[in-house]
Amino acid sequence: GGPGSIWKIDGVTGTVSLFANVTLGGASNSGPTLGGLAFDPDSNSLFAAGRDTGMIHRFAMNGAERGRYDHGVQGRKAQGLAPIPFDSKKRLAITGPTFDSEQPATWSYAPPERLIFGLGVLRGRLYYAVAAGLQIWSVGLSPDGSFANDATREIDIPPAAGPTEISKISFDDRGRML
């Protein structure tokens, strides 16, 4: 395990085991860890937001990665915005001279326009929070959990008094976003 690991707890025995390591192109997470997780019971898929890459990863229940979604490229292009691709050279180095544990700007997060955190699933759509402008977007999910090509900007949240992100997206029994 490491900063890109997802762990599971057996609901009967309480045994903790590794579910998956989130990687991109064989490269492990460099340290900024993961954002939100969301489960889609219709496709039996688990989604995880990668904070260093800005990717959303889709996993089967055996821990195998089944796909990924790149908001910085796919989502932005679907709305006519310039793509912001992943920069594979930007990696966290906690032993480097520019790293400061008290300064998030040195933590190698993806740029705010592609930085994903909170995730939630409702009625065949994956909702996700984007750090830039405190936005909530969504993308359709096929019955098998694969991503559609229909990203939609759903909500712009008014700015807060200080730095903040949307860390969780939930829905109540009537489908209202919380």
Side-chain angles (χ1 to χ4, degrees):
S5 296
I6 301 172
W7 296 84
K8 65 181 178 177
I9 301 171
D10 185 293
V12 175
T13 67
T15 302
V16 178
S17 61
L18 182 64
F19 173 74
N21 280 312
V22 179
T23 62
L24 183 62
S28 63
N29 187 297
S30 70
T33 70
L34 302 175
L37 296 174
F39 178 69
D40 177 22
D42 294 334
S43 66
N44 215 25
S45 298
L46 181 72
F47 299 95
R51 306 274 292 158
D52 65 342
T53 65
M55 302 284 185
I56 300 173
H57 301 263
R58 179 174 67 94
F59 294 93
M61 289 297 91
N62 65 0
E65 186 171 11
R66 294 291 183 227
R68 68 180 68 96
Y69 182 76
D70 185 343
H71 166 77
V73 174
Q74 295 166 276
R76 291 178 57 82
K77 283 174 86 172
Q79 289 295 303
L81 300 170
I84 299 175
F86 169 61
D87 180 359
S88 62
K89 295 179 195 100
K90 187 177 180 189
R91 307 272 300 161
L92 177 66
I94 63 172
T95 58
T98 60
F99 176 73
D100 182 343
S101 64
E102 295 182 10
Q103 297 298 321
T106 70
W107 297 353
S108 290
Y109 285 146
E113 297 83 6
R114 66 176 288 120
L115 182 58
I116 306 302
F117 200 164
L119 303 175
V121 176
L122 180 70
R123 298 183 187 124
R125 293 196 71 78
L126 174 67
Y127 292 80
Y128 59 94
V130 179
L134 290 179
Q135 301 168 350
I136 296 178
W137 290 57
S138 73
V139 63
L141 299 173
S142 299
D144 69 353
S146 59
F147 300 102
N149 191 21
D150 65 348
T152 303
R153 192 161 143 179
E154 301 283 351
I155 301 170
D156 289 302
I157 308 298
T164 188
E165 285 185 72
I166 300 165
S167 61
K168 180 70 178 159
I169 298 173
S170 298
F171 298 93
D172 69 10
D173 292 343
R174 293 173 31 193
R176 295 178 295 194
M177 187 181 294
L178 308 172

